[in-house]
Amino acid sequence: PFHLFARPRGHPPHAARHRRSNPLRRAPPRADPADEPGGGGRTRVHGGSGSWLPIADACVGHNQFAAALECHLKPSCFDALPAYPFALLAHGREVHLVNGQEGRVKAVPGEALVKKLASYRDARFNFQPGMEVVKTSSCFTRPGSVQLVHISAAQVDADYEAVRRMEREGRVYEIEPIPEEGPDGAAEGKGGAGDDAEDAEEKAAAEAARRRRAAQEAEALRLGDADEEMLA
């Protein structure tokens, strides 16, 4: 789920607006309006495990998460924040990585490569050698992210394109296929099996990947339902 937070200036800390939406539900977002003092809005601010926080701090001097805490705990600090960031202190982008292969991670060469970028600030790689990965189909199956910050917008854009180029060339994750197991539990090879056998293996691999994706999305929905029960 994604959460947006805002408090009209001049309203007490408990007057908050909470908006959440779950892209997997394909339903309108739920809002808890509390535009008037005394409204019972519920507020949580997060997203992407907070990987964007260093970018916000570097570019505008503060971040949404800290502002939410100050709104409730230090209202005077919240009211001192500018209504709009009048000037950027730096430029930044977060690159949400996309994986186009199914299989098992053999190595993560991108971990060292992105650190050489001029605008590199931080990175998160969700898969390590030995782990199975699926093709990216949602934010829940993305293999990681790279945070870029630099005084030059052109440098940030160039490094963003460099990361995308690494993805296309297979230099972020080195992935090897997972051998299919035969009836006796041994891995089967494709040599001499014929076109029909190869087609069957490809279909089996595709079905296994589909089931893994379905399981990941079901788990994401379960966690979203648990969040709603806690807030109810």
Side-chain angles (χ1 to χ4, degrees), residues 14-133:
H14 60 264
R17 181 182 296 116
H18 172 223
R19 178 181 176 89
R20 60 181 288 147
S21 64
N22 191 326
L24 296 178
R25 291 181 180 275
R26 294 178 175 82
R30 188 184 73 187
D32 292 327
D35 291 339
E36 298 299 327
R42 299 189 297 267
T43 303
R44 289 187 300 159
V45 180
H46 63 75
S49 300
S51 58
W52 49 272
L53 291 173
I55 301 176
D57 286 335
C59 294
V60 298
H62 59 276
N63 64 72
Q64 187 182 17
F65 182 75
L69 291 177
E70 291 173 348
C71 167
H72 292 275
L73 303 178
K74 296 181 179 179
S76 60
C77 293
F78 178 85
D79 290 333
L81 292 173
Y84 300 95
F86 294 102
L88 285 176
L89 305 176
H91 297 271
R93 298 182 73 169
E94 180 166 25
V95 190
H96 294 291
L97 299 175
V98 177
N99 173 49
Q101 292 180 268
E102 308 276 353
R104 182 179 289 114
V105 176
K106 184 177 181 181
V108 191
E111 202 162 5
L113 292 175
V114 297
K115 292 180 179 179
K116 298 178 181 179
L117 300 174
S119 64
Y120 171 82
R121 173 58 62 94
D122 199 3
R124 299 185 180 191
F125 292 88
N126 299 338
F127 298 95
Q128 294 300 318
M131 299 176 67
E132 292 185 20
V133 294

Side-chain angles (χ1 to χ4, degrees), residues 111-191:
E111 202 162 5
L113 292 175
V114 297
K115 292 180 179 179
K116 298 178 181 179
L117 300 174
S119 64
Y120 171 82
R121 173 58 62 94
D122 199 3
R124 299 185 180 191
F125 292 88
N126 299 338
F127 298 95
Q128 294 300 318
M131 299 176 67
E132 292 185 20
V133 294
V134 298
K135 292 181 180 180
T136 303
S137 60
S138 68
C139 63
F140 301 105
T141 54
R142 65 188 175 200
S145 62
V146 180
Q147 292 78 46
L148 306 174
V149 174
H150 199 274
I151 194 66
S152 166
Q155 183 65 60
V156 171
D157 290 343
D159 289 348
Y160 175 90
E161 294 301 330
V163 175
R164 292 303 184 204
R165 189 162 54 251
M166 292 178 198
E167 285 182 330
R168 292 193 298 270
E169 296 172 355
R171 294 189 292 138
V172 175
Y173 283 98
E174 186 178 342
I175 299 173
E176 58 185 2
I178 300 174
E180 296 291 332
E181 291 188 354
D184 58 354
E188 292 183 340
K190 289 189 176 182

Side-chain angles (χ1 to χ4, degrees), residues 1 3 20 44 46 222-232:
H3 304 261
R20 60 181 288 147
R44 289 187 300 159
H46 63 75
R222 185 187 69 78
L223 293 175
D225 290 338
D227 284 345
E228 291 185 0
E229 290 176 3
M230 291 175 64
L231 288 172

